């Protein structure tokens, strides 16, 4: 069981590390790490390449988190190890060895992980995230509030403490990954949903 658990975590990390955004962008002759925000995620793909590639990347990144959980379940691992595999996928996405340990901000992969672990918390994540983006047109604000809502929902539902802590840790990681966006929101110069960016990287 220990060998299977370690193997599952490693596989989950590698799956999470697959840089869909970077590879899709490369087919268009674009280095995603050198344009827009410099992140390998669906939001940066949307701003630089458009809706089609962004949707493809978002779906793939969501599935990375869910697949990590399903793999652990298929191997007969217990719930905490399933969560560990989901966390490994998120870490792989954020710090991919395929991109010199750079990556995205982990929102889609975290969402997929939470949906697989605790679907109602995933629903809370989605509803708050999509509502915030619709009202404010700030993807960063939607990502942060969605993740925090997912964590709050886990506690509200009376989920096991360890699971609530895992969801909270993933939400905290999303907030940390968006620290520059938080500064921009405070300064009033955060980009809104749908805004195109030039080929030059912005800070």
């Amino acid at each position: 069981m220990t060998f299977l658990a370690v193997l599952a975590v490693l596989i989950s990390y590698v799956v999470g590390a697959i840089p869909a955004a970077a590879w899709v962008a490369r087919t268009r002759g674009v280095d995603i790490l050198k344009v827009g925000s410099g992140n390998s995620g669906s939001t940066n793909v949307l701003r630089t390449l458009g809706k089609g590639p962004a949707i493809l990347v978002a779906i793939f990144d969501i599935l990375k988190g869910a697949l990590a959980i399903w793999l652990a379940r298929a191997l007969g691992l217990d719930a905490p190890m399933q969560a560990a595999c989901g966390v490994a996928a998120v870490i792989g996405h954020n710090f991919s060895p395929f991109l010199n340990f750079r990556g995205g901000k982990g929102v889609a992969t975290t969402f997929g992980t939470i949906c697989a672990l605790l679907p109602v918390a995933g629903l809370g994540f989605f509803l708050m995230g999509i509502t915030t983006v619709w009202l404010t047109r700030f993807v960063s604000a939607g990502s942060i509030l969605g993740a925090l809502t997912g964590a709050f929902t886990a506690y509200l539902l009376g989920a096991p403490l360890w699971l609530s802590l895992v969801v909270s840790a993933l939400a905290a990681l999303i907030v940390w990954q968006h620290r520059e966006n938080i500064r921009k929101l405070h300064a009033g110069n955060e980009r809104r949903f749908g805004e195109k960016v030039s080929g030059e990287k912005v800070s």
Side-chain angles (χ1 to χ4, degrees):
M1 183 63 72
T2 301
F3 172 76
L4 283 178
V6 172
L7 180 62
V9 169
L10 290 175
I11 292 174
S12 297
Y13 173 78
V14 173
V15 170
I18 297 173
W23 290 354
V24 168
R26 194 172 300 165
T27 65
R28 304 291 186 91
V30 174
D31 184 346
I32 200 67
L33 300 180
K34 294 182 178 179
V35 297
S37 65
N39 288 302
S40 180
S42 58
T43 300
N44 201 25
V45 171
L46 174 65
R47 288 172 173 159
T48 56
L49 299 176
K51 292 182 181 178
I55 291 172
L56 177 64
V57 169
I59 291 173
F60 186 84
D61 286 347
I62 290 169
L63 287 176
K64 290 193 297 189
L67 283 171
I69 306 300
W70 296 336
L71 169 65
R73 287 176 181 164
L75 292 174
L77 300 179
D78 61 16
M81 284 309 308
Q82 294 170 23
C85 287
V87 171
V90 173
I91 293 173
H93 175 82
N94 292 359
F95 310 102
S96 173
F98 299 110
L99 300 175
N100 294 320
F101 297 96
R102 296 176 60 185
K105 296 181 179 178
V107 177
T109 305
T110 295
F111 175 66
T113 296
I114 292 176
C115 283
L117 287 172
L118 194 60
V120 178
L123 178 62
F125 188 143
F126 175 78
L127 291 177
M128 176 58 77
I130 202 70
T131 299
T132 302
V133 173
W134 179 65
L135 291 174
T136 68
R137 292 180 58 224
F138 289 124
V139 176
S140 56
S143 299
I144 292 167
L145 292 178
L148 293 175
T149 299
F152 177 75
T153 303
Y155 286 104
L156 188 66
L157 291 173
L161 179 59
W162 69 265
L163 181 53
S164 296
L165 290 174
V166 168
V167 175
S168 296
L170 289 173
L173 181 58
I174 283 179
V175 174
W176 172 255
Q177 291 289 86
H178 284 83
R179 59 194 182 279
E180 181 61 29
N181 301 88
I182 293 172
R183 285 193 284 268
K184 289 181 177 181
L185 285 167
H186 181 72
N189 56 13
E190 173 74 330
R191 291 183 181 273
R192 294 182 184 269
F193 180 77
E195 284 187 49
K196 295 288 186 178
V197 298
S198 66
E200 297 181 357
K201 181 178 175 179
V202 295
S203 59

